[in-house]
């Protein structure tokens, strides 16, 4: 979804989960807690069978998702 895409693009840009949370708060986008971002990223790891952030981004780029 659109929220996942925002998180994925920020991860691809090298932002930490904490930085993503802060950015979402500044943009008044909810949910925006660091724990929510962490849960979303973990779910994305599972969904795409990724072992870490680099692996997730590589898979998404190859699949044309980002």
């Amino acid at each position: 979804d659109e929220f996942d895409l925002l998180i994925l693009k920020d991860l691809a840009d090298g932002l930490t989960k904490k930085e993503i949370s802060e950015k979402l708060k500044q943009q008044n986008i909810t949910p925006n807690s660091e724990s929510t971002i962490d849960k979303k990223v973990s779910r994305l790891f599972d969904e795409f069978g990724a072992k870490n952030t680099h692996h997730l981004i590589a898979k998404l780029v190859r699949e044309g998702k980002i």
Side-chain angles (χ1 to χ4, degrees):
D1 70 1
E2 191 173 322
F3 186 68
D4 290 351
L5 190 58
L6 282 173
I7 293 171
L8 291 169
K9 286 181 178 180
D10 285 343
L11 285 173
D13 286 339
L15 273 64
T16 65
K17 294 172 198 167
K18 182 176 182 176
E19 291 169 330
I20 294 169
S21 173
E22 291 169 1
K23 181 179 175 184
L24 293 174
K25 286 175 186 173
Q26 289 173 351
Q27 297 173 348
N28 293 319
I29 297 172
T30 57
N32 56 27
S33 72
E34 191 173 347
S35 65
T36 298
I37 304 304
D38 190 49
K39 288 175 191 171
K40 282 281 193 179
V41 171
S42 293
R43 186 186 57 75
L44 290 165
F45 283 173
D46 291 343
E47 183 179 333
F48 290 97
K51 299 174 185 173
N52 56 47
T53 302
H54 292 99
H55 190 212
L56 176 63
I57 299 303
K59 283 179 158 271
L60 294 168
V61 167
R62 279 195 301 268
E63 294 179 16
K65 304 231 184 242
I66 57 171

